[in-house]
Amino acid sequence: MTIRTRFAPSPTGYLHLGGLRTALYNYLYSKKHSGKFILRIEDTDRNRFVPGAEEQLISTLSNLGIQWDEGPDMGGQLGPYRQSDRLDIYKKYINKLIDSDNAYYCFCSTERLKEIREKASKEKRSTNYDRHCLTLSKESIQKKLDAGERYVVRLKIPDTENIVLDDIIHGPVKFKAELIDDQIILKSDGYPTYHLANVVDDHLMQITHVIRGDEWLSSTPKHIVLYNAFKWEIPEFAHLPLILNADRSKLSKRQNDVAVENYLEKGFIPEGLLNYLALLGWSNKDDMEFFTLESLKSIFDLKNVSKSGCIFDPRKLIHINGLQLRSLDEADRKNRIQNYLEKTFIFNKSGDWINNFIQEIQERIKTFNDISVFFTPFIEKIEFYEKKPAKKFLHSTFSIKVLNFTADLIKKTKLSDHTELDRSLRELAENLEISFGKVAGVLRVALTGRGVSIGLFGLFSLLGKDIVLDRISQAIEFINNDYEEKDVK
Ligand code: GLU
């Protein structure tokens, strides 16, 4: 049997981190078993449809290196892979369900439905549909259809005691049939609902393993009813744990915090995001944390996925991203940093300069976002000094001495002669009876305005003699004029 998994997003906007994890686990599981991974677009909910979302989804997944074997953009033998292109197929299967008495037309108005729901709720009874239309005669149904009355089609949930799901992750889960509503499977706009389309497609696309988020667990008994009604084999199910905020609430709804596109824009690399998401709910017996996509294809297993929700830890994501960034091949890393710089900043620097800059920062950054703090002193004037480092380093007599000494030193020494610069500044530290760290601190703040920067000698060479001297003068003036609030932030 060929293992076939699918990622079935609805094109309702951005790709959610949880969605990416679902896609990743489906992808890995199929690859591990030399199977096929399918991308299917579930766009039957026209109210939530967002134009362009499908294209964006496809491009984000591709940029991340998750490649499907069949999908709306490339076709495949069991397509089409976009649900709005399959409406005739769903009609045919809905009719089959009506003919076999597993589904029925419902002509109830929204007002009636609202009324019975409110009444039941007041009387503390189940608010499920009261099956008013289940007993309509064939003739009256035909009359209503002929008269063009609006209708939906409902699935008839059998009155069996329990529906049991044997989930790969949760084990056996029981659902009481009497609690399940007669689900609408065809809406009055002529579109099937998620439940019907999802089951029909999973069957026709020969999906063997349905791997999806826990939020779909409660829908699964309805799906099982559908499989049984069609007399189809039921696929394996694996429901993945929810991703939670630190306070155990469902992962923040704010788009900035959950949109994969945002993380890529914020300077995370695909390798870092995927590695972190692989670990979000899945663990391996050696508790290893660094994985390439390739290595995950053989190691990943649904058996080690946890049942309970897992907490999203942004710090760990940054840490893992740093590991992945450092493990990139050097030329590749340089390329990506350069692309990021060109995309993010407007500047005019030579290729050599950029290479040297990248050399300086590549070990210091965990995400590309970290580059900004190192880069801006080279493309912007110092308008103010950061308050804390300025208070610490730009205040006293030794600051002025360090700055004056360095100005003289710079004038007579080549900026590339790091040995001489280092020797002289260390000698100065000794003479002033302060640590070298303090000397470097004064110069760092004077040259960048900040407490964090690339290495001191890198700063000298990348700024160039003129700017180093200008900034030293600016800092001396700042110290001599005492602090003014507008000069520090
Ligand atoms: N279209 C559903 C979603 O947006 C798919 C759920 C499933 O995988 O069955 O997540």
Side-chain angles (χ1 to χ4, degrees), residues 160-213:
T160 34
E161 271 193 359
N162 286 323
I163 297 166
V164 183
L165 156 73
D166 200 3
D167 189 271
I168 298 180
I169 295 166
H170 293 267
V173 189
K174 274 189 202 161
F175 301 90
K176 277 202 168 136
E178 66 185 41
L179 299 180
I180 305 173
D181 205 359
D182 278 359
Q183 188 67 50
I184 295 177
I185 53 176
L186 181 72
K187 293 176 282 185
S188 55
D189 63 1
Y191 278 82
T193 53
Y194 153 74
H195 305 284
L196 184 280
N198 187 272
V199 166
V200 168
D201 287 350
D202 281 345
H203 173 73
L204 296 180
M205 294 178 187
Q206 299 171 10
I207 301 303
T208 56
H209 291 72
V210 173
I211 304 167
R212 61 186 173 198

Side-chain angles (χ1 to χ4, degrees), residues 248-390:
R248 300 201 74 80
S249 60
K250 204 171 157 191
L251 186 60
S252 164
K253 283 254 186 316
R254 280 176 310 172
Q255 180 171 336
N256 266 352
D257 299 336
V258 290
V260 172
E261 289 85 349
N262 264 313
Y263 281 86
L264 294 173
E265 225 144 78
K266 275 194 266 181
F268 287 88
I269 57 172
E271 291 84 346
L273 263 180
L274 293 178
N275 186 165
Y276 176 69
L277 288 177
L279 296 170
L280 199 54
W282 168 76
S283 57
N284 54 95
K285 61 177 184 333
D286 302 320
D287 264 340
M288 271 166 58
E289 59 175 15
F290 179 88
F291 292 102
T292 62
L293 197 55
E294 225 26 61
S295 66
L296 283 168
K297 285 184 196 169
S298 50
I299 298 174
F300 178 79
D301 200 336
L302 285 174
K303 281 198 197 93
N304 307 324
V305 173
S306 82
K307 278 190 199 139
S308 52
C310 37
I311 294 192
F312 177 71
D313 179 355
R315 275 177 319 186
K316 184 157 181 195
L317 169 61
I318 292 172
H319 163 70
I320 299 266
N321 199 71
L323 296 181
Q324 287 286 352
L325 199 56
R326 275 189 287 284
S327 82
L328 292 180
D329 159 81
E330 181 149 5
D332 182 15
R333 181 169 51 224
K334 270 194 169 159
N335 241 331
R336 296 202 214 186
I337 296 180
Q338 181 154 357
N339 286 341
Y340 179 83
L341 286 173
E342 281 163 6
K343 200 178 75 193
T344 318
F345 303 100
I346 297 168
F347 61 96
N348 184 9
K349 301 275 184 205
S350 73
D352 274 352
W353 190 97
I354 291 176
N355 275 342
N356 291 336
F357 173 73
I358 291 177
Q359 201 65 38
E360 283 287 336
I361 57 159
Q362 58 184 353
E363 295 293 325
R364 295 174 194 263
I365 57 171
K366 290 194 172 125
T367 73
F368 292 153
N369 218 14
D370 297 343
I371 295 176
S372 170
V373 69
F374 298 118
F375 193 59
T376 39
F378 296 105
I379 55 168
E380 283 172 12
K381 293 200 164 103
I382 299 181
E383 305 282 357
F384 61 88
Y385 296 93
E386 277 178 3
K387 204 174 205 161
K388 243 178 147 178

Side-chain angles (χ1 to χ4, degrees), residues 6-12 19 22 26 40-43 48 83 194 198-199 202 210-213 215-216 219 223 237 239:
R6 66 5 175 224
F7 178 48
S10 299
T12 54
T22 301
N26 274 287
R40 181 173 74 227
I41 300 295
E42 301 208 327
D43 58 349
R48 294 177 63 222
Q83 292 189 326
Y194 153 74
N198 187 272
V199 166
D202 281 345
V210 173
I211 304 167
R212 61 186 173 198
E215 64 270 33
W216 302 104
S219 296
H223 299 178
F237 286 99
H239 287 92

